[in-house]
């Protein structure tokens, strides 16, 4: 699904009764606002953070009404913003402005929340060389936008879905009959299908790490719910032979200690499931 198709579905959700019992449209706006007038509005920041979603808002309003003038300001996606900043202006048919107001703000507020939290995690590990990753713990059908916001905030995307990496987790290992059998099965599958994607395997102990290192066949080892001291030991044992990712219960208070063990990545599900939306409003300019 393209972004434009997604916007169209979101507009249909907002403007049309699913059973078709009432006419299509924003009836509050259609009944009160003169479409023949030209009005201006501003996107106002009401909370400090990192702005994300300006480019998406522009596409939303353009799709609603190509004649609307979307006036950009010096602020771009990824910039730090503070209370009182104005990140774009709109001018044109007020019915078009009001029809797209909530849809644009819903995306911007959520994307800005993700970007703000992502930036906080990136800043927390600054200087260590560790890269912060998101996870698949995203809102169904909104993953593209949440992962877009993660990148705007300065972090990186892990696999996008189930199709672009083999990630052997604890249940895969248990169902396959063990670490070695799971790794062998994954490599056999790739060879049989003439298919190339990286293989990552989750480990639950230093003993698991040793088994993976002895067996080989993967490009990345995940250290899941390890103590900081265990991460230090695992990184030394792996010794850059494969990539190292740390995950599991890490927060802003603890991430620096994990980063100082110098893994390649730390993945944080909270980026897309525990953010707080940034307060943004669209206000008429009289």
């Amino acid at each position: 699904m393209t972004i434009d198709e997604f916007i169209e579905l979101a507009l249909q959700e907002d403007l049309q009764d699913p059973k078709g019992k009432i006419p299509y449209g924003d009836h509050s706006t259609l009944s009160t606002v003169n479409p023949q007038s030209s009005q201006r509005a501003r996107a106002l920041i009401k909370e400090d953070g990192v702005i994300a979603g300006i480019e998406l808002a522009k596409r939303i309003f353009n799709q609603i009404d190509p004649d609307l003038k979307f006036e950009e300001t010096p602020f771009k996606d990824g910039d730090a913003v503070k209370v009182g900043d104005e990140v774009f202006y709109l001018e044109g048919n007020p019915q078009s402005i009001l029809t797209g107001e909530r849809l644009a703000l819903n995306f911007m507020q959520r994307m800005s929340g993700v970007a703000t939290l992502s930036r906080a995690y990136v800043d927390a590990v600054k200087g260590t060389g560790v890269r912060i990753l998101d996870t698949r713990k995203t809102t169904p059908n909104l993953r593209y936008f949440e992962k877009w916001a993660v990148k705007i905030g300065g972090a990186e995307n892990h696999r996008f879905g189930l199709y672009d990496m083999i990630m052997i987790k604890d249940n895969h290992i248990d169902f396959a009959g063990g670490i070695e059998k799971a790794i062998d099965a994954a490599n056999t599958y790739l060879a049989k299908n003439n298919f190339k994607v990286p293989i990552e395997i989750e480990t639950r102990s230093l003993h698991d790490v040793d088994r993976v290192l002895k067996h080989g066949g993967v490009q990345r080892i995940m250290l899941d719910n390890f103590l900081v001291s265990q991460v230090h030991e695992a990184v030394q044992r792996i010794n850059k032979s494969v990539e190292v990712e740390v995950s599991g219960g890490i927060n802003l208070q603890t991430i620096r200690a994990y980063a100082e063990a110098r893994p390649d990545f730390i993945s944080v599900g909270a980026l897309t499931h525990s953010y707080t939306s940034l307060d943004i409003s669209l206000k008429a300019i009289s």
Side-chain angles (χ1 to χ4, degrees), residues 114 118 132-139 142-144 146-148 150-151 155-162 164-165 167 169 200 202 220 222 224 245-250 265-274:
V114 171
S118 298
I132 302 299
L133 301 177
D134 58 19
T135 71
R136 285 179 54 250
K137 295 176 181 176
T138 54
T139 309
L142 294 179
R143 182 177 301 168
Y144 177 87
E146 291 174 342
K147 283 182 170 283
W148 184 5
V150 165
K151 294 184 72 172
E156 299 181 21
N157 296 151
H158 203 294
R159 58 178 179 159
F160 191 86
L162 296 172
D164 54 351
M165 172 184 274
M167 187 169 178
K169 296 178 69 67
E200 176 173 6
E202 180 179 288
R220 185 183 300 178
M222 175 188 285
D224 188 49
E245 177 184 336
V246 179
S247 188
I250 299 170
F265 309 100
I266 298 177
S267 53
V268 183
L271 300 186
T272 55
H273 71 61
S274 294

Side-chain angles (χ1 to χ4, degrees), residues 224-237:
D224 188 49
N225 287 297
F226 277 45
L227 300 174
V228 172
S229 59
Q230 293 173 316
V231 173
H232 277 276
E233 178 63 28
V235 168
Q236 289 181 9
R237 293 187 189 186

Side-chain angles (χ1 to χ4, degrees), residues 69-90:
K69 180 182 178 182
F70 189 99
E71 183 182 334
E72 298 183 27
T73 70
F75 290 104
K76 304 295 183 185
D77 285 335
D79 286 347
V81 291
K82 61 182 185 301
V83 175
D85 286 337
E86 298 174 354
V87 293
F88 66 79
Y89 301 98
L90 289 166

Side-chain angles (χ1 to χ4, degrees), residues 180-192:
E180 295 82 1
K181 288 183 178 180
I183 294 173
D184 288 344
N187 280 287
T188 298
Y189 173 86
L190 291 178
K192 180 180 178 181

Side-chain angles (χ1 to χ4, degrees), residues 2-69:
T2 67
I3 294 177
D4 289 342
E5 288 171 338
F6 189 90
I7 292 170
E8 182 60 32
L9 286 175
L11 288 170
Q12 288 179 18
E13 179 183 56
D14 230 8
L15 300 175
Q16 186 172 357
D17 176 62
K19 297 180 181 179
K21 293 182 179 180
I22 57 176
Y24 180 93
D26 170 10
H27 300 299
S28 303
T29 295
L30 292 172
S31 64
T32 60
V33 176
N34 179 7
Q36 304 304 317
S37 63
S38 180
Q39 302 290 340
R40 281 176 56 80
R42 57 181 178 153
L44 179 66
I45 301 298
K46 301 174 72 176
E47 187 176 5
D48 295 354
V50 175
I51 190 65
I54 295 175
E55 286 301 314
L56 180 57
K58 184 177 182 179
R59 291 182 68 160
I60 289 170
F61 284 111
N62 182 69
Q63 193 158 328
I64 290 171
D65 183 352
D67 291 328
L68 274 180
K69 180 182 178 182

